[in-house]
Amino acid sequence: MKSKIAAMSKTSRDNFKTYAMVLIVYVVVMIFQAAGLVSSQMSGLLVPLCVYATMAVSLNLVVGILGELSLGHAGFMCVGAFAGAFFSKITENSMGTFPRFFLAIVIGGLVAGIFGFLIGIPVLRLNGDYLAIVTLAFGEIIKNIMNVLYVGQDASGLHFSMTSATDLNMDGATGNLIINGPQGITGTPFDSTFTAGIIILMISLIVVLNLMNSRDGRAIMSIRDNHIAAESVGINITKYKMTAFTISAVIAGCAGSLYAHNLASLIATPARFGYNMSIMFLVFVVLGGIGSMRGSIIAATILTLLPEILRFMAGYRMLIYSIVLIVIMIVNWNPKSRAWLAEHNLSRFLFKKHHEKKEVK
Amino acid sequence: MKKMQKFISLALAVVMTAGLLAGCGSTSAGTSAATTSGASASGSTFKIGGIGPLTGTAAVYGTAVKNAAQIAVDEVNAAGGINGSQVELKFEDDELDAEKSVNAYNTLKDWGMQMLVGSVTSACSIAVSEKTKADSMFQITPSGSAADCVKYDNVFRVCFSDPNQGVASADYIADNKVATKVAVIYDSSDVYSSGIYQKFDAEAKTKNLSIVSAEAFTGDSKTDFSAQLQKAKDAGADLVFLPIYYTEASIILTQANSMGYAPKFFGCDGLDGILAMKNFDTKLAEGVMLLTPFAADATDELTQKFVAAYKKAYTDTPNQFAADAYDAIYAIKAAAEAGKVTPSMKTSEMCTAMEKAMTTITLTGLTGTITWTADGEPSKTPKAVEIKDGAYVSMK
């Protein structure tokens, strides 16, 4: 009993540290900003940092807690971004900034959640590499649908087309093209702020960390650890897999909506919202430690800042970035550094899952 | 056992904060200047920033702009600068990504940028124009061709807009009775290509041109066009309109040739560069018509001087992106001289003066004789050229 309480308080202490880290960074940045000490480069990066940290938390829920590899997370972010931006565009003149932005975030999350649920139905029947490949395909499908989607608004309502803008047959005088195929959405209002980003990051952290320590969370983790054993004790695998996957999609959608309100042009290009981006999120998660939310937030922050800080190196920037990435990965995975980490009991988060998977196979 | 973990997380937190501080420290001079008065830090040189993709799939365009802008700046400096002040150019990479483009803009602002040449591509340019508008900084994009790029008063462009090219192409084909049945092959994932196609389609309808097939491809699948060509052939098109870049066009020409399909081909400024392509049989491009503001083998003195300088410095033939960038720098020079702009002015004052002056100047540049309207659009006549014996020949 005593040890249980100790263990519980240790987790809550650990969670508290994660919240504190985010809040301290927020307060420090706000103080610096008030004092005019933050460069425009840094202040421009604040919202993207929140977006990527939230995405890392979202993907870590699927990869670290549910134990399934999703390579389509950029797709959920894309859906959230387009849904949120679309909502803001059509209500730009009829709503105040705050309620509009709040609803845009909620809608971004909801729409992505619906997509996550629908995609989850076929996808979650699979596991392992098969699931990874199917999520990759869904991510690409979402990106490509966004590229052929034309939506316009005029006096008679909304018009949709999958072929071209001229097929919308809009009334010329009042017609307003909102989603213009590959040109995406332009002119989304700038509603995202660092504070909003931190709030979204904190909410997703609270949701995910509390889920981890709840009955449902333990059920999800038991599926990760051994799904046959989990099933044998009566855990509804589909239900819990679906819960984790949908929550993760909702968080990704909120992050996407936040992203969309920080840029005037939203386009689903292969680099942006393609599988490259999904892989980037996976790198955040793996680098920060599979299952460790704090780690993935830190990794997302470092890896987003690094290429920008390295700008002074001009042409060598991306090279140095890659080298740094390789070095960090080697330090994490090299047998010697692993042994060192194991010695200090740090390998817990990184290698637990890997180890167990081997056993199952 | 937890100690080490604590230590690591603390260390990482320190690194992160250090990163934030480093970002502030190295650039605090520029920031404080920008936040307090908006005046330039140095006061004696013009600081012009440039943004474009220097890495990634579109690196060739960004690099061309960077190189040509540098040539123009060097020439301007050698000739005594703008209003007696030297010009400094700093170019940042945006990886063809709107978010990175805004990051690049913020970085340049910390450096003390007073005027911006960029971004090279449309989406990035649109994203950045929101920021230049908010900061009232003068922006001229060499090649951001989407309509929304010049939505704000402080933004001008050198290239033709996409709608402009689409309309001009349709008009040219219809008015000169080049063809009646037209097929289009375009890149639906590309802003430039689909932007031209949309307007071409609309204009063709009013001009009674019949578009018998309009086939799209995407950036993910641009190596095989036999399906699109077969459809165009089956539909009986006697002209194929290619509002795309020359790399894909070269594949289309090669595949059309191998399937024995020989319609007329008509393209826009994106086709410029096809003759300089490696491993491409230029005989296949015989008879291809294109609307382009710039031809590297033109015989006028200005072009020849520029091409020679570019080849000497970068051992490469400049394309139209380079020409647009070169003209952008000279447009800044002309407008700054007309508006009597000095480096010691505030960025916003400079912007107001430049905005006014831009509409008064007439620039004889590489891409034609250009004047600007207050809405940021250049007015210059598109030149239609036909490829004959491996060279551009002007058409009527």
Side-chain angles (χ1 to χ4, degrees), chain B residues 124-248:
Chain B
C124 296
S125 199
I126 292 168
V128 169
S129 73
E130 293 284 342
K131 300 287 169 192
T132 54
K133 172 73 187 162
D135 296 333
S136 48
M137 181 174 301
F138 179 75
Q139 181 186 0
I140 181 162
T141 167
S143 46
S145 51
D148 276 345
C149 286
V150 293
K151 195 165 68 175
Y152 297 116
D153 291 343
N154 62 321
V155 192
F156 291 80
R157 73 167 133 226
V158 180
C159 64
F160 290 118
S161 68
D162 295 338
N164 185 331
Q165 288 207 46
V167 172
S169 302
D171 286 351
Y172 189 88
I173 294 170
D175 296 347
N176 294 293
K177 300 199 171 50
V178 182
T180 47
K181 284 178 164 181
V182 180
V184 187
I185 301 177
Y186 70 103
D187 182 351
S188 65
S189 67
D190 183 57
V191 178
Y192 164 80
S193 189
S194 55
I196 294 179
Y197 166 66
Q198 274 178 19
K199 288 294 166 185
F200 181 83
D201 188 40
E203 180 72 10
K205 275 179 188 142
T206 64
K207 289 276 181 179
N208 288 325
L209 269 182
S210 80
I211 296 182
V212 289
S213 100
E215 292 299 318
F217 63 93
T218 66
D220 297 329
S221 58
K222 49 182 186 185
T223 46
D224 183 23
F225 300 97
S226 42
Q228 287 95 332
L229 282 166
Q230 192 60 49
K231 279 190 182 154
K233 193 180 179 184
D234 292 347
D238 47 10
L239 183 141
V240 178
F241 180 54
L242 303 173
I244 52 178
Y245 289 117
Y246 62 88
T247 9
E248 290 89 58

Side-chain angles (χ1 to χ4, degrees), chain A residues 10 14 17 25 28-29 32 37-42 44-45 48 52 140 143-144 147 150 163-166 180 182-183 186-187 190 259 263-265 267 270 272 294 298 301-302 308-309 311 317-318 340 344-346 348-349, chain B residues 1-2 4-6 8-9 12 16-17 19-21 23-24 27 31 55 92-93 95 97-100 102-104 106-107 109-110 123-124 126-127 130-131 146 148 151 186 188-191 194-195 197-198 201-202 205 220:
Chain A
K10 199 185 268 174
D14 205 44
K17 257 188 264 166
V25 169
V28 168
V29 169
F32 273 56
L37 287 169
V38 181
S39 65
S40 14
Q41 184 193 20
M42 270 307 143
L45 281 168
Y52 295 130
E140 290 298 294
K143 183 198 83 192
N144 284 317
N147 268 328
Y150 295 84
T163 49
S164 77
T166 34
N180 188 9
Q183 305 185 38
T186 44
F190 280 104
Y259 170 85
L263 275 181
S265 74
I267 298 185
R272 178 65 48 192
R294 187 164 62 220
I298 294 171
T301 312
I302 291 175
E308 296 304 325
I309 291 173
R311 268 188 190 279
R317 184 166 72 103
M318 295 323 275
W340 183 85
H344 297 86
N345 212 17
L346 281 166
R348 211 158 50 95
F349 287 114
Chain B
M1 57 181 259
K2 278 253 162 187
M4 211 58 206
Q5 201 174 356
K6 251 186 210 166
I8 296 274
S9 43
L12 285 175
M16 204 166 60
T17 327
L20 284 168
L21 291 174
C24 312
T27 49
T31 329
T55 54
E92 287 289 346
D93 182 18
E95 302 164 39
D97 184 81
E99 186 193 314
K100 299 277 165 61
V102 172
N103 291 347
N106 285 326
T107 311
K109 223 169 79 183
D110 289 334
C124 296
I126 292 168
E130 293 284 342
K131 300 287 169 192
D148 276 345
K151 195 165 68 175
Y186 70 103
S188 65
S189 67
D190 183 57
V191 178
S194 55
Y197 166 66
Q198 274 178 19
D201 188 40
K205 275 179 188 142
D220 297 329

Side-chain angles (χ1 to χ4, degrees), chain A residues 79-313:
Chain A
V79 169
F82 274 86
F86 177 72
F87 174 79
S88 282
K89 281 287 279 183
I90 53 173
T91 55
E92 197 173 358
N93 301 320
S94 55
M95 275 175 107
T97 309
F98 179 74
R100 183 189 64 215
F101 182 50
F102 177 75
L103 283 175
I105 296 284
V106 171
I107 286 172
L110 278 182
V111 176
I114 293 167
F115 268 76
F117 182 76
L118 293 176
I119 291 171
I121 295 170
V123 163
L124 293 175
R125 289 167 185 273
L126 309 165
N127 50 32
D129 306 342
Y130 304 101
L131 187 139
I133 291 165
V134 175
T135 48
L136 177 80
F138 271 110
E140 290 298 294
I141 289 172
I142 290 174
K143 183 198 83 192
N144 284 317
I145 288 178
M146 290 307 169
N147 268 328
V148 294
L149 190 64
Y150 295 84
V151 182
Q153 184 192 29
D154 65 10
S156 56
L158 291 173
H159 298 252
F160 294 87
S161 165
M162 295 283 267
T163 49
S164 77
T166 34
D167 287 349
L168 291 172
N169 295 321
M170 280 194 301
D171 174 14
T174 56
N176 178 19
L177 198 56
I178 297 172
I179 303 182
N180 188 9
Q183 305 185 38
I185 301 179
T186 44
T188 318
F190 280 104
D191 294 338
S192 291
T193 57
F194 183 47
T195 310
I198 286 289
I199 292 172
I200 291 170
L201 176 61
M202 279 302 277
I203 292 175
S204 23
L205 267 179
I206 292 168
V207 168
V208 173
L209 289 176
N210 277 308
L211 178 74
M212 272 170 85
N213 300 324
S214 70
R215 185 172 172 275
D216 291 355
R218 280 187 292 275
I220 292 169
M221 284 187 271
S222 73
I223 299 171
R224 172 194 72 188
D225 293 343
N226 190 332
H227 71 100
I228 299 169
E231 206 165 13
S232 73
V233 295
I235 288 172
N236 185 344
I237 291 194
T238 317
K239 180 187 147 195
Y240 286 114
K241 268 186 161 180
M242 201 62 117
T243 316
F245 202 67
T246 310
I247 292 176
S248 171
V250 169
I251 295 173
C254 293
S257 192
L258 181 71
Y259 170 85
H261 289 79
N262 189 43
L263 275 181
S265 74
L266 178 67
I267 298 185
T269 60
R272 178 65 48 192
F273 301 130
Y275 67 91
N276 282 331
M277 206 181 183
S278 299
I279 300 284
M280 188 177 85
F281 298 142
L282 191 66
V283 170
F284 294 162
V285 171
V286 173
L287 189 63
I290 293 169
S292 158
M293 297 303 152
R294 187 164 62 220
S296 50
I297 291 177
I298 294 171
T301 312
I302 291 175
L303 292 187
T304 312
L305 283 181
L306 203 56
E308 296 304 325
I309 291 173
L310 289 175
R311 268 188 190 279
F312 68 91
M313 310 193 102

Side-chain angles (χ1 to χ4, degrees), chain B residues 6 10 45-46 54 68 83 114 125 157 239 281 313 345 347-348:
Chain B
K6 251 186 210 166
L10 185 73
T45 55
F46 280 104
L54 300 178
N83 293 334
Q114 294 161 314
S125 199
R157 73 167 133 226
L239 183 141
D281 183 5
M345 285 164 91
T347 326
S348 54

